């Protein structure tokens, strides 16, 4: 991991950009922390970190106020990372179906999501190795947001993740339901009831499939980006319970 820039945000948060091989990322830590802090991995949407930055830094500030470090990495094929023809084709097929008013088929969803999960999850694990090697960061570790299938896979294969807040706002391949049954960590799932372009019933079915003994679903009215502040506050309280 190589840090490439550093700045303080309102004297409360230290923001450092880094690269891990070809993968760009950002680490935020509480500027006033006197001891190593627990870490929350912020899963980004597949928009590129620059476009998603306002939302990500808002979540990072909120987490820093609660005493947590946060970090994010660029998804494969997003932002300034090398073009990924398979991802571009999947997005094109999705746009074509939605513009035509057609149902989004399982074939399109599988082609769009499953290769992304297969590639992104090992990258997240490599990033976690590097992040936990930093002296200002310690466990336990949480995961928040992002493509819900990536969070689901990480919850199954990564034992260092102790709790997760998952955003039910992305398409879910049918294969992920079997993986969801293997999830055992505490979960806090956010669902926007009127999320445009996404299958609400699939999100509800995935929540039902999760094997965790502690799982909470927060469903609120509104579209994809309309998560109310109190829902974010509840997610912060969830992490405070499980990571401190």
């Amino acid at each position: 991991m190589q840090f490439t820039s550093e700045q303080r945000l309102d004297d409360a948060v230290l923001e450092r950009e880094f690269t891990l091989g070809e993968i760009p990322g950002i680490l935020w830590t509480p500027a006033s922390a006197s001891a190593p802090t627990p870490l929350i991995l912020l899963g980004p949407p597949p928009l590129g970190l620059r476009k998603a930055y306002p939302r990500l830094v808002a979540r990072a500030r909120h987490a820093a106020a609660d005493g947590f470090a946060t970090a994010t990495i660029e998804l494969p094929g997003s932002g300034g990372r090398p073009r990924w023809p398979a991802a571009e084709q999947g997005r094109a097929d999705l746009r074509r179906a939605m513009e035509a008013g057609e149902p989004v088929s399982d074939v399109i969803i599988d082609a769009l999501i499953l290769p992304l999960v297969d590639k992104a999850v090992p990258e997240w694990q490599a990033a976690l190795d590097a992040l936990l090697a930093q002296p200002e960061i310690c466990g336990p570790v949480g995961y928040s947001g992002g493509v819900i299938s990536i969070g689901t896979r990480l919850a199954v294969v990564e034992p260092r993740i102790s709790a997760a807040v998952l955003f039910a706002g992305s398409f879910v391949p049918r294969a992920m339901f079997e993986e969801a049954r293997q999830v055992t960590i505490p979960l806090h799932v956010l669902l926007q009831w009127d999320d445009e372009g996404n299958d609400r019933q699939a999100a509800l079915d995935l929540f039902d499939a999760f094997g965790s003994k502690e799982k909470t679903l927060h469903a609120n009215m509104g579209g994809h980006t309309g998560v109310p502040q109190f829902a974010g506050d509840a997610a912060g309280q969830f992490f405070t319970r499980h990571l401190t």
Side-chain angles (χ1 to χ4, degrees):
M1 173 179 283
Q2 181 177 356
F3 290 103
T4 58
S5 70
E6 177 178 315
Q7 65 172 329
R8 286 181 178 265
L9 309 179
D10 302 330
D11 293 327
V13 182
L14 178 63
E15 177 183 280
R16 285 174 287 173
E17 296 188 6
F18 64 84
T19 57
L20 188 67
E22 68 169 21
I23 306 169
I26 309 173
L27 170 64
W28 295 275
T29 51
S32 60
S34 58
T37 58
L39 174 67
I40 299 173
L41 305 176
L42 300 183
L47 303 173
L49 292 186
R50 291 303 160 210
K51 289 184 179 179
Y53 178 82
R55 279 186 273 169
L56 291 168
V57 74
R59 290 160 59 193
R61 288 176 185 272
H62 194 286
D66 291 336
F68 300 117
T70 50
T72 190
I73 57 173
E74 190 80 83
L75 290 175
S78 294
R81 293 190 61 179
R83 292 180 57 192
W84 186 16
E88 293 180 355
Q89 184 62 53
R91 293 177 192 135
D93 291 342
L94 174 63
R95 282 195 303 271
R96 192 159 37 246
M98 296 183 72
E99 288 170 0
E102 299 172 353
V104 180
S105 69
D106 288 342
V107 172
I108 292 175
I109 293 173
D110 287 356
L112 181 69
I113 302 296
L114 291 177
L116 177 62
V117 173
D118 289 343
K119 195 166 185 176
V121 166
E123 293 182 351
W124 265 119
Q125 292 182 292
L128 185 54
D129 291 340
L131 289 162
L132 288 176
Q134 303 305 310
E136 65 272 33
I137 296 173
C138 64
V141 178
Y143 178 86
S144 175
V147 177
I148 196 168
S149 294
I150 293 176
T152 300
R153 173 74 60 81
L154 274 169
V156 173
V157 304
E158 182 45 73
R160 291 172 292 184
I161 294 178
S162 301
V165 171
L166 301 178
F167 296 0
S170 52
F171 292 102
V172 182
R174 292 188 183 275
M176 295 308 302
F177 287 84
E178 185 56 41
E179 294 195 36
R181 295 183 178 92
Q182 302 173 51
V183 175
T184 59
I185 63 173
L187 296 178
H188 181 102
V189 181
L190 297 174
L191 170 64
Q192 288 301 100
W193 203 249
D194 306 301
D195 195 342
E196 55 277 9
N198 288 310
D199 188 336
R200 179 199 304 159
Q201 190 58 53
L204 294 172
D205 291 344
L206 184 67
F207 178 80
D208 189 47
F210 284 126
S212 303
K213 291 182 179 179
E214 180 186 337
K215 57 181 180 179
T216 303
L217 177 67
H218 278 231
N220 292 283
M221 305 303 292
H224 187 74
T225 60
V227 178
Q229 180 61 47
F230 63 79
D233 292 342
Q237 293 164 7
F238 168 84
F239 279 131
T240 297
R241 289 199 306 275
H242 292 287
L243 301 185
T244 59

